[in-house]
Amino acid sequence: MPVPWVHLLPSLLVVFWSSGHLETFAEAEDVLCYERFDDTTQTCSGLLGDGINQQDCCLNHQYGFREGLGGACRACHAAMWSEWSEWSPCSVTCMEGAQRRSRKCHGSNAGSCVEGRREWEMRSCSLRDCCPVDGGWSSWSAWSPCSVTCLSGFRSRKRTCTNPAPVCGGTCPGDSEEREPCDTKQVCPTHGNWGNWGNWEPCPATCTPEGSGAKPRQQRHRLCNNPSPSTAPPGNPCQGSGLDHQDCVGLPYCPQDGNWGGWKNFSPCSVTCGVGRQVMKRQCDSPPPKHGGRNCPGEDTQHHPCVTGVPCPVNGQWTEWSEWSKCERLGLGMNINCQEITGLQSRKRRCLGKANSGKSCDGKISESRTCYNIHFCTLTGAWSDWSPWSLCQPPCGPNPMKTRQRECKPEYPDYPMTVEGENGIIQDIHFWGTPVPKCDPLQGQKLKVVERAPCLNVLPCED
Protein backbone atom coordinates (compact mmCIF):
# COMPACT_ATOMS: atom_id res chain seq x y z
CA MET A 1 0.00 0.00 0.00
CA PRO A 2 1.54 3.41 -0.95
CA VAL A 3 2.57 5.64 1.95
CA PRO A 4 1.58 9.36 1.80
CA TRP A 5 3.54 12.32 3.01
CA VAL A 6 2.00 15.77 3.49
CA HIS A 7 3.19 19.27 2.66
CA LEU A 8 1.22 22.44 3.55
CA LEU A 9 0.96 25.31 1.05
CA PRO A 10 -1.13 28.48 1.46
CA SER A 11 -4.84 27.64 0.86
CA LEU A 12 -3.98 24.06 -0.35
CA LEU A 13 -3.37 20.68 1.28
CA VAL A 14 -1.03 18.70 -1.03
CA VAL A 15 -0.70 14.92 -0.48
CA PHE A 16 2.18 13.05 -2.24
CA TRP A 17 1.86 9.28 -2.47
CA SER A 18 4.95 7.05 -2.62
CA SER A 19 3.74 5.80 -5.99
CA GLY A 20 4.23 9.28 -7.43
CA HIS A 21 0.50 10.14 -7.51
CA LEU A 22 -0.35 13.67 -6.26
CA GLU A 23 -3.72 14.92 -4.94
CA THR A 24 -4.72 18.41 -3.79
CA PHE A 25 -7.66 19.50 -1.65
CA ALA A 26 -8.90 22.99 -0.82
CA GLU A 27 -7.99 23.67 2.80
CA ALA A 28 -10.78 24.79 5.14
CA GLU A 29 -10.64 28.43 6.26
CA ASP A 30 -9.07 29.46 9.56
CA VAL A 31 -11.63 30.28 12.27
CA LEU A 32 -11.97 31.25 15.93
CA CYS A 33 -12.36 27.88 17.70
CA TYR A 34 -14.42 27.44 20.92
CA GLU A 35 -14.57 24.38 23.19
CA ARG A 36 -18.32 24.71 23.93
CA PHE A 37 -21.41 25.34 21.77
CA ASP A 38 -24.73 25.93 23.59
CA ASP A 39 -27.55 24.29 21.60
CA THR A 40 -30.21 26.34 23.41
CA THR A 41 -28.77 29.85 22.99
CA GLN A 42 -26.61 29.12 19.89
CA THR A 43 -23.62 30.81 21.55
CA CYS A 44 -19.94 29.86 21.82
CA SER A 45 -17.77 29.94 24.97
CA GLY A 46 -14.27 28.89 25.98
CA LEU A 47 -12.18 30.45 23.20
CA LEU A 48 -9.28 28.13 22.34
CA GLY A 49 -7.65 30.51 19.85
CA ASP A 50 -7.93 32.09 16.41
CA GLY A 51 -6.26 31.10 13.18
CA ILE A 52 -7.21 27.44 13.74
CA ASN A 53 -8.21 25.41 10.71
CA GLN A 54 -11.99 24.77 10.72
CA GLN A 55 -11.45 21.10 9.92
CA ASP A 56 -9.15 20.73 12.96
CA CYS A 57 -11.57 22.62 15.22
CA CYS A 58 -14.47 20.37 14.22
CA LEU A 59 -12.60 17.13 14.96
CA ASN A 60 -14.67 17.43 18.16
CA HIS A 61 -18.39 17.63 17.25
CA GLN A 62 -19.18 19.36 20.56
CA TYR A 63 -17.07 22.42 19.57
CA GLY A 64 -18.22 25.63 17.86
CA PHE A 65 -16.51 28.26 15.68
CA ARG A 66 -16.81 31.78 14.24
CA GLU A 67 -15.50 32.80 10.84
CA GLY A 68 -14.61 36.26 12.24
CA LEU A 69 -15.02 38.42 15.34
CA GLY A 70 -18.40 39.69 14.12
CA GLY A 71 -19.58 36.35 12.72
CA ALA A 72 -22.34 34.19 14.16
CA CYS A 73 -21.40 31.21 16.30
CA ARG A 74 -21.84 27.90 14.42
CA ALA A 75 -21.88 24.33 15.72
CA CYS A 76 -19.48 21.68 14.49
CA HIS A 77 -22.13 18.92 14.65
CA ALA A 78 -24.70 18.12 11.96
CA ALA A 79 -27.62 20.54 11.59
CA MET A 80 -30.31 19.89 14.21
CA TRP A 81 -33.19 21.72 15.88
CA SER A 82 -32.54 23.60 19.13
CA GLU A 83 -34.85 23.17 22.11
CA TRP A 84 -38.01 25.30 21.99
CA SER A 85 -37.50 28.67 23.68
CA GLU A 86 -39.51 29.62 26.74
CA TRP A 87 -43.03 30.89 25.99
CA SER A 88 -43.09 34.69 25.75
CA PRO A 89 -45.11 36.64 28.36
CA CYS A 90 -48.85 36.77 27.74
CA SER A 91 -49.73 39.72 25.47
CA VAL A 92 -52.30 41.06 27.99
CA THR A 93 -52.51 40.97 31.79
CA CYS A 94 -56.20 40.08 31.97
CA MET A 95 -58.75 38.18 29.86
CA GLU A 96 -57.51 36.21 26.81
CA GLY A 97 -54.19 36.96 25.06
CA ALA A 98 -51.47 35.07 23.17
CA GLN A 99 -47.85 34.00 23.65
CA ARG A 100 -45.24 32.67 21.21
CA ARG A 101 -42.07 30.54 21.27
CA SER A 102 -39.51 29.54 18.60
CA ARG A 103 -36.67 27.17 17.77
CA LYS A 104 -33.78 27.39 15.28
CA CYS A 105 -31.82 24.91 13.19
CA HIS A 106 -28.06 25.12 13.80
CA GLY A 107 -25.03 23.10 12.68
CA SER A 108 -22.30 23.30 10.07
CA ASN A 109 -23.03 20.01 8.25
CA ALA A 110 -26.08 18.49 6.58
CA GLY A 111 -28.48 17.08 9.14
CA SER A 112 -32.15 16.67 10.04
CA CYS A 113 -33.05 20.31 9.20
CA VAL A 114 -31.88 23.31 7.12
CA GLU A 115 -29.26 25.46 8.94
CA GLY A 116 -30.56 28.91 9.88
CA ARG A 117 -34.23 27.98 9.50
CA ARG A 118 -36.52 29.14 12.33
CA GLU A 119 -39.94 27.84 13.39
CA TRP A 120 -42.59 29.49 15.59
CA GLU A 121 -45.54 28.31 17.71
CA MET A 122 -48.28 30.47 19.24
CA ARG A 123 -50.99 29.62 21.81
CA SER A 124 -53.74 31.37 23.75
CA CYS A 125 -53.17 32.40 27.39
CA SER A 126 -55.07 33.99 30.29
CA LEU A 127 -53.40 35.35 33.46
CA ARG A 128 -56.71 36.20 35.13
CA ASP A 129 -60.39 35.93 34.16
CA CYS A 130 -61.22 39.58 34.94
CA CYS A 131 -59.58 42.99 34.52
CA PRO A 132 -58.85 45.35 37.48
CA VAL A 133 -61.38 48.11 38.28
CA ASP A 134 -60.29 50.93 40.61
CA GLY A 135 -62.33 51.77 43.74
CA GLY A 136 -63.24 55.10 45.40
CA TRP A 137 -62.11 56.79 48.62
CA SER A 138 -64.25 57.19 51.74
CA SER A 139 -64.46 60.60 53.49
CA TRP A 140 -61.42 61.78 55.49
CA SER A 141 -61.41 60.98 59.24
CA ALA A 142 -60.99 63.74 61.86
CA TRP A 143 -57.45 65.11 62.46
CA SER A 144 -55.44 63.29 65.14
CA PRO A 145 -53.95 65.20 68.17
CA CYS A 146 -50.56 66.92 67.64
CA SER A 147 -47.67 64.48 67.92
CA VAL A 148 -45.74 66.60 70.52
CA THR A 149 -46.54 68.63 73.67
CA CYS A 150 -44.07 71.45 72.97
CA LEU A 151 -42.81 73.31 69.88
CA SER A 152 -44.06 71.99 66.51
CA GLY A 153 -45.13 68.50 65.46
CA PHE A 154 -47.51 66.82 63.04
CA ARG A 155 -51.07 65.64 62.98
CA SER A 156 -52.69 63.22 60.51
CA ARG A 157 -55.98 61.95 59.12
CA LYS A 158 -56.91 58.83 57.12
CA ARG A 159 -59.38 57.46 54.59
CA THR A 160 -60.16 53.99 53.21
CA CYS A 161 -60.53 52.59 49.67
CA THR A 162 -64.10 51.37 50.20
CA ASN A 163 -66.43 53.72 48.33
CA PRO A 164 -66.74 51.52 46.32
CA ALA A 165 -64.14 48.77 46.97
CA PRO A 166 -61.83 47.92 44.03
CA VAL A 167 -62.54 44.82 41.92
CA CYS A 168 -60.12 42.16 40.61
CA GLY A 169 -56.95 43.69 42.07
CA GLY A 170 -57.78 47.33 41.37
CA THR A 171 -56.66 50.18 43.66
CA CYS A 172 -57.59 53.75 44.59
CA PRO A 173 -55.29 56.45 43.15
CA GLY A 174 -53.80 58.79 45.76
CA ASP A 175 -52.72 58.53 49.40
CA SER A 176 -54.64 56.92 52.24
CA GLU A 177 -53.12 59.31 54.82
CA GLU A 178 -52.42 63.06 55.02
CA ARG A 179 -50.07 64.87 57.45
CA GLU A 180 -49.72 68.57 58.31
CA PRO A 181 -47.62 70.55 60.83
CA CYS A 182 -49.08 71.69 64.16
CA ASP A 183 -47.73 74.28 66.67
CA THR A 184 -48.24 73.78 70.45
CA LYS A 185 -47.07 77.37 71.25
CA GLN A 186 -44.88 75.82 74.03
CA VAL A 187 -41.04 76.06 74.30
CA CYS A 188 -39.13 72.76 74.97
CA PRO A 189 -35.81 72.49 76.84
CA THR A 190 -32.89 71.19 74.74
CA HIS A 191 -30.65 68.65 76.48
CA GLY A 192 -27.05 68.40 75.41
CA ASN A 193 -25.78 65.41 73.40
CA TRP A 194 -22.29 64.49 72.29
CA GLY A 195 -21.28 64.88 68.69
CA ASN A 196 -19.22 62.20 66.95
CA TRP A 197 -15.65 61.58 68.04
CA GLY A 198 -13.09 63.33 65.89
CA ASN A 199 -10.35 61.39 64.12
CA TRP A 200 -7.49 60.03 66.20
CA GLU A 201 -4.50 62.32 66.09
CA PRO A 202 -1.67 60.80 64.01
CA CYS A 203 0.97 58.69 65.74
CA PRO A 204 4.48 60.14 65.65
CA ALA A 205 5.79 57.32 63.42
CA THR A 206 4.63 56.30 59.91
CA CYS A 207 6.17 52.85 59.48
CA THR A 208 8.63 50.77 61.42
CA PRO A 209 10.74 47.65 60.99
CA GLU A 210 9.32 44.42 62.37
CA GLY A 211 9.80 44.06 66.16
CA SER A 212 9.41 47.75 67.06
CA GLY A 213 7.86 48.11 70.52
CA ALA A 214 7.23 51.89 70.55
CA LYS A 215 3.73 52.73 71.82
CA PRO A 216 3.19 56.51 71.80
CA ARG A 217 -0.14 57.96 72.94
CA GLN A 218 -2.72 59.46 70.61
CA GLN A 219 -5.94 61.30 71.46
CA ARG A 220 -9.25 62.40 70.00
CA HIS A 221 -11.95 64.99 70.93
CA ARG A 222 -15.71 65.37 70.80
CA LEU A 223 -18.03 68.37 71.41
CA CYS A 224 -21.33 68.68 73.28
CA ASN A 225 -23.07 70.17 70.22
CA ASN A 226 -25.44 67.49 68.93
CA PRO A 227 -27.34 69.53 70.10
CA SER A 228 -25.88 72.01 72.62
CA PRO A 229 -27.95 72.35 75.83
CA SER A 230 -30.40 75.25 75.86
CA THR A 231 -30.23 78.07 78.46
CA ALA A 232 -33.89 79.16 78.64
CA PRO A 233 -35.39 76.85 79.60
CA PRO A 234 -32.15 75.20 80.79
CA GLY A 235 -31.18 71.84 79.24
CA ASN A 236 -29.00 69.12 80.74
CA PRO A 237 -25.25 69.15 79.84
CA CYS A 238 -23.53 66.12 78.24
CA GLN A 239 -22.37 63.40 80.61
CA GLY A 240 -18.77 62.10 80.47
CA SER A 241 -15.51 63.47 79.03
CA GLY A 242 -14.84 65.14 75.70
CA LEU A 243 -11.27 63.75 75.51
CA ASP A 244 -10.13 60.16 74.85
CA HIS A 245 -6.65 58.51 74.79
CA GLN A 246 -5.19 55.25 73.53
CA ASP A 247 -1.80 53.67 72.88
CA CYS A 248 -0.51 53.67 69.29
CA VAL A 249 -0.38 49.93 68.65
CA GLY A 250 0.00 47.90 65.47
CA LEU A 251 1.93 50.57 63.56
CA PRO A 252 2.27 49.50 59.92
CA TYR A 253 5.53 48.03 58.74
CA CYS A 254 7.17 49.61 55.74
CA PRO A 255 5.66 48.10 52.56
CA GLN A 256 7.59 45.82 50.18
CA ASP A 257 6.36 45.39 46.58
CA GLY A 258 6.26 41.96 44.96
CA ASN A 259 8.08 40.80 41.81
CA TRP A 260 7.36 37.96 39.32
CA GLY A 261 9.37 34.76 39.24
CA GLY A 262 10.07 33.00 35.93
CA TRP A 263 7.42 31.27 33.74
CA LYS A 264 7.02 27.51 34.31
CA ASN A 265 6.91 24.99 31.43
CA PHE A 266 3.69 24.44 29.47
CA SER A 267 1.24 21.89 30.90
CA PRO A 268 0.22 18.91 28.69
CA CYS A 269 -2.62 19.53 26.19
CA SER A 270 -5.97 19.51 28.03
CA VAL A 271 -7.57 17.05 25.55
CA THR A 272 -6.56 13.93 23.64
CA CYS A 273 -8.70 14.72 20.58
CA GLY A 274 -9.66 17.86 18.67
CA VAL A 275 -8.35 21.21 19.94
CA GLY A 276 -7.51 21.95 23.60
CA ARG A 277 -5.35 24.36 25.55
CA GLN A 278 -1.99 24.41 27.30
CA VAL A 279 -1.30 26.50 30.39
CA MET A 280 1.91 28.25 31.51
CA LYS A 281 2.12 29.83 35.02
CA ARG A 282 4.39 32.03 37.16
CA GLN A 283 4.37 33.11 40.81
CA CYS A 284 4.75 36.50 42.49
CA ASP A 285 7.56 35.29 44.77
CA SER A 286 10.79 37.10 43.79
CA PRO A 287 10.19 38.55 46.40
CA PRO A 288 6.51 38.23 47.45
CA PRO A 289 4.66 41.44 48.46
CA LYS A 290 4.88 42.18 52.17
CA HIS A 291 3.35 44.61 54.68
CA GLY A 292 0.90 46.15 52.21
CA GLY A 293 3.30 46.21 49.30
CA ARG A 294 1.82 46.05 45.82
CA ASN A 295 1.13 42.73 44.08
CA CYS A 296 2.91 41.92 40.86
CA PRO A 297 1.29 43.62 37.85
CA GLY A 298 -0.15 41.50 35.04
CA GLU A 299 -1.48 37.93 34.81
CA ASP A 300 -0.03 34.82 36.42
CA THR A 301 -1.39 32.47 33.72
CA GLN A 302 -1.10 32.22 29.92
CA HIS A 303 -3.27 29.97 27.72
CA HIS A 304 -2.33 28.70 24.26
CA PRO A 305 -4.35 26.42 21.93
CA CYS A 306 -3.01 22.96 21.05
CA VAL A 307 -4.19 20.87 18.06
CA THR A 308 -4.04 17.07 18.49
CA GLY A 309 -5.14 16.27 14.93
CA VAL A 310 -7.17 13.36 16.34
CA PRO A 311 -10.96 13.28 15.70
CA CYS A 312 -13.10 12.86 18.84
CA PRO A 313 -15.47 9.90 19.32
CA VAL A 314 -19.10 10.36 18.28
CA ASN A 315 -21.59 8.07 20.03
CA GLY A 316 -24.39 6.43 18.09
CA GLN A 317 -28.00 7.62 18.46
CA TRP A 318 -31.15 5.54 18.00
CA THR A 319 -33.59 6.49 15.25
CA GLU A 320 -37.30 6.51 16.08
CA TRP A 321 -38.95 3.08 16.23
CA SER A 322 -40.55 1.94 13.00
CA GLU A 323 -44.31 1.38 12.89
CA TRP A 324 -45.50 -1.94 14.35
CA SER A 325 -45.82 -4.63 11.70
CA LYS A 326 -49.18 -6.22 10.90
CA CYS A 327 -50.64 -8.33 13.73
CA GLU A 328 -50.80 -11.90 12.36
CA ARG A 329 -50.00 -15.54 12.96
CA LEU A 330 -47.23 -16.43 10.53
CA GLY A 331 -46.95 -19.89 9.07
CA LEU A 332 -50.46 -21.04 10.05
CA GLY A 333 -52.47 -19.42 7.26
CA MET A 334 -55.01 -18.30 9.85
CA ASN A 335 -57.06 -15.09 9.56
CA ILE A 336 -57.21 -13.53 13.06
CA ASN A 337 -58.80 -10.21 12.04
CA CYS A 338 -61.74 -9.18 14.29
CA GLN A 339 -61.42 -12.36 16.39
CA GLU A 340 -60.33 -13.17 19.94
CA ILE A 341 -57.16 -14.82 18.64
CA THR A 342 -53.72 -13.47 19.50
CA GLY A 343 -50.96 -12.80 17.00
CA LEU A 344 -47.47 -11.31 16.98
CA GLN A 345 -46.03 -8.09 15.58
CA SER A 346 -42.61 -6.44 15.67
CA ARG A 347 -40.83 -3.13 15.11
CA LYS A 348 -37.22 -2.03 14.55
CA ARG A 349 -34.90 0.95 14.91
CA ARG A 350 -31.37 1.82 13.72
CA CYS A 351 -28.26 3.07 15.51
CA LEU A 352 -26.83 5.94 13.42
CA GLY A 353 -23.94 8.40 13.68
CA LYS A 354 -21.32 6.26 15.48
CA ALA A 355 -17.86 7.43 14.43
CA ASN A 356 -14.24 7.54 15.59
CA SER A 357 -14.57 4.63 18.08
CA GLY A 358 -17.63 6.19 19.73
CA LYS A 359 -20.06 4.07 21.77
CA SER A 360 -22.81 2.03 20.16
CA CYS A 361 -26.42 2.59 21.20
CA ASP A 362 -27.62 0.86 24.38
CA GLY A 363 -30.71 -1.32 24.12
CA LYS A 364 -32.38 -3.63 21.61
CA ILE A 365 -32.53 -3.07 17.85
CA SER A 366 -35.93 -4.79 17.59
CA GLU A 367 -38.82 -5.85 19.82
CA SER A 368 -42.04 -7.84 19.48
CA ARG A 369 -45.36 -8.06 21.33
CA THR A 370 -48.57 -10.09 21.49
CA CYS A 371 -51.62 -8.49 19.85
CA TYR A 372 -55.24 -8.65 18.67
CA ASN A 373 -55.90 -7.62 15.04
CA ILE A 374 -58.89 -5.17 14.98
CA HIS A 375 -57.92 -3.40 11.73
CA PHE A 376 -61.11 -2.04 10.02
CA CYS A 377 -63.28 -3.93 12.52
CA THR A 378 -66.66 -2.26 13.26
CA LEU A 379 -66.90 -1.41 17.00
CA THR A 380 -69.41 0.43 19.18
CA GLY A 381 -68.18 4.00 19.79
CA ALA A 382 -68.68 6.88 22.24
CA TRP A 383 -68.06 10.61 21.79
CA SER A 384 -65.01 12.01 23.64
CA ASP A 385 -64.96 15.25 25.65
CA TRP A 386 -63.71 18.40 23.96
CA SER A 387 -59.93 18.33 23.45
CA PRO A 388 -57.78 21.27 24.70
CA TRP A 389 -57.53 24.19 22.29
CA SER A 390 -54.78 23.71 19.69
CA LEU A 391 -51.87 26.08 18.99
CA CYS A 392 -52.73 29.25 17.06
CA GLN A 393 -52.24 28.91 13.28
CA PRO A 394 -50.49 30.61 11.64
CA PRO A 395 -48.07 31.44 14.49
CA CYS A 396 -47.20 34.74 12.76
CA GLY A 397 -49.51 36.52 10.37
CA PRO A 398 -53.08 37.78 10.04
CA ASN A 399 -56.14 36.21 11.68
CA PRO A 400 -54.64 33.25 13.59
CA MET A 401 -57.20 30.59 14.61
CA LYS A 402 -57.34 27.80 17.20
CA THR A 403 -59.37 24.57 17.10
CA ARG A 404 -60.70 21.89 19.40
CA GLN A 405 -62.56 18.68 18.59
CA ARG A 406 -64.62 15.74 19.78
CA GLU A 407 -64.07 12.30 18.25
CA CYS A 408 -66.06 9.09 18.05
CA LYS A 409 -63.78 6.73 20.02
CA PRO A 410 -64.13 2.92 19.71
CA GLU A 411 -65.02 0.80 22.74
CA TYR A 412 -62.60 -2.12 22.55
CA PRO A 413 -63.76 -5.73 23.05
CA ASP A 414 -63.53 -7.26 26.54
CA TYR A 415 -60.73 -9.68 25.53
CA PRO A 416 -58.11 -10.97 28.03
CA MET A 417 -55.27 -8.40 28.07
CA THR A 418 -52.43 -10.62 29.45
CA VAL A 419 -50.95 -13.97 28.48
CA GLU A 420 -48.37 -16.25 30.12
CA GLY A 421 -45.27 -16.39 27.94
CA GLU A 422 -41.96 -18.23 28.13
CA ASN A 423 -40.61 -19.07 31.61
CA GLY A 424 -43.99 -18.17 33.10
CA ILE A 425 -43.54 -14.42 32.45
CA ILE A 426 -46.86 -12.52 32.14
CA GLN A 427 -46.99 -10.39 28.96
CA ASP A 428 -49.45 -7.63 28.02
CA ILE A 429 -51.63 -8.02 24.91
CA HIS A 430 -52.17 -4.94 22.71
CA PHE A 431 -54.90 -4.05 20.22
CA TRP A 432 -53.52 -3.29 16.74
CA GLY A 433 -55.10 -1.59 13.75
CA THR A 434 -57.59 1.17 13.05
CA PRO A 435 -61.13 0.07 13.93
CA VAL A 436 -64.30 1.69 12.55
CA PRO A 437 -66.27 3.16 15.51
CA LYS A 438 -70.05 3.63 15.29
CA CYS A 439 -71.58 6.56 17.24
CA ASP A 440 -74.94 8.31 17.07
CA PRO A 441 -74.49 11.39 14.80
CA LEU A 442 -73.42 14.58 16.62
CA GLN A 443 -74.07 17.94 14.88
CA GLY A 444 -74.53 15.98 11.67
CA GLN A 445 -71.09 14.28 11.95
CA LYS A 446 -70.34 10.58 12.42
CA LEU A 447 -66.61 10.56 13.39
CA LYS A 448 -65.37 14.04 14.32
CA VAL A 449 -66.78 17.46 15.31
CA VAL A 450 -64.39 20.43 14.98
CA GLU A 451 -64.85 23.91 16.54
CA ARG A 452 -62.77 26.94 15.45
CA ALA A 453 -62.22 30.30 17.23
CA PRO A 454 -59.96 33.31 16.62
CA CYS A 455 -56.88 33.90 18.84
CA LEU A 456 -57.25 37.26 20.62
CA ASN A 457 -54.70 40.01 21.43
CA VAL A 458 -51.96 38.29 19.39
CA LEU A 459 -48.30 39.35 19.48
CA PRO A 460 -46.66 41.24 16.56
CA CYS A 461 -44.51 39.21 14.17
CA GLU A 462 -40.72 39.10 14.71
CA ASP A 463 -37.84 38.78 12.19
Side-chain angles (χ1 to χ4, degrees), residues 260-340:
W260 288 114
W263 287 103
K264 306 299 182 183
N265 292 333
F266 275 115
S267 67
C269 192
S270 61
V271 296
T272 57
C273 64
V275 179
R277 60 161 54 96
Q278 292 177 295
V279 180
M280 188 166 60
K281 293 189 174 183
R282 59 180 177 175
Q283 292 184 331
C284 186
D285 59 1
S286 296
K290 205 171 185 181
H291 307 314
R294 290 174 294 186
N295 287 322
C296 300
E299 300 294 331
D300 65 348
T301 304
Q302 287 186 352
H303 298 269
H304 297 274
C306 49
V307 179
T308 66
V310 178
C312 293
V314 180
N315 296 333
Q317 298 290 329
W318 286 116
T319 63
E320 296 294 327
W321 285 102
S322 67
E323 296 292 332
W324 286 102
S325 65
K326 181 180 178 181
C327 181
E328 55 187 344
R329 281 202 168 190
L330 299 175
L332 299 179
M334 179 184 296
N335 180 18
I336 64 174
N337 182 242
C338 305
Q339 301 184 61
E340 190 180 335

Side-chain angles (χ1 to χ4, degrees), residues 188-248:
C188 294
T190 302
H191 302 301
N193 191 50
W194 289 113
N196 293 330
W197 284 106
N199 294 329
W200 287 106
E201 294 178 358
C203 290
T206 56
C207 69
T208 184
E210 293 185 31
S212 173
K215 294 183 179 179
R217 299 277 287 174
Q218 61 182 163
Q219 63 182 14
R220 62 179 180 176
H221 299 268
R222 60 179 177 176
L223 299 175
C224 185
N225 62 356
N226 187 34
S228 301
S230 62
T231 57
N236 298 328
C238 297
Q239 301 296 313
S241 174
L243 183 63
D244 191 17
H245 296 85
Q246 73 171 13
D247 291 337
C248 293

Side-chain angles (χ1 to χ4, degrees), residues 19-41:
S19 61
H21 179 63
L22 176 138
E23 293 185 5
T24 61
F25 303 93
E27 186 181 6
E29 295 182 359
D30 288 344
V31 297
L32 284 77
C33 185
Y34 297 82
E35 62 184 350
R36 286 180 297 278
F37 177 82
D38 192 309
D39 287 323
T40 302
T41 62

Side-chain angles (χ1 to χ4, degrees), residues 105-127:
C105 181
H106 52 81
S108 57
N109 302 309
S112 59
C113 56
V114 179
E115 182 186 6
R117 182 177 177 183
R118 197 171 186 182
E119 289 187 347
W120 298 87
E121 285 186 347
M122 184 166 63
R123 70 181 183 185
S124 296
C125 55
S126 177
L127 298 180

Side-chain angles (χ1 to χ4, degrees), residues 414-425:
D414 188 19
Y415 294 167
M417 297 309 296
T418 58
V419 64
E420 184 175 343
E422 296 181 2
N423 301 323
I425 297 176

Side-chain angles (χ1 to χ4, degrees), residues 341-403:
I341 303 175
T342 59
L344 288 175
Q345 58 182 162
S346 62
R347 64 178 182 177
K348 297 181 179 180
R349 58 181 176 176
R350 294 188 297 164
C351 183
L352 301 179
K354 178 179 177 297
N356 306 327
S357 301
K359 295 180 181 179
S360 296
C361 305
D362 291 332
K364 299 184 294 184
I365 196 172
S366 65
E367 60 182 12
S368 60
R369 68 181 186 183
T370 307
C371 53
Y372 293 117
N373 187 330
I374 58 170
H375 196 48
F376 292 148
C377 299
T378 300
L379 301 178
T380 301
W383 287 103
S384 68
D385 294 330
W386 284 108
S387 69
W389 286 105
S390 70
L391 296 172
C392 300
Q393 294 293 338
C396 180
N399 305 320
M401 301 291 290
K402 59 184 178 180
T403 61

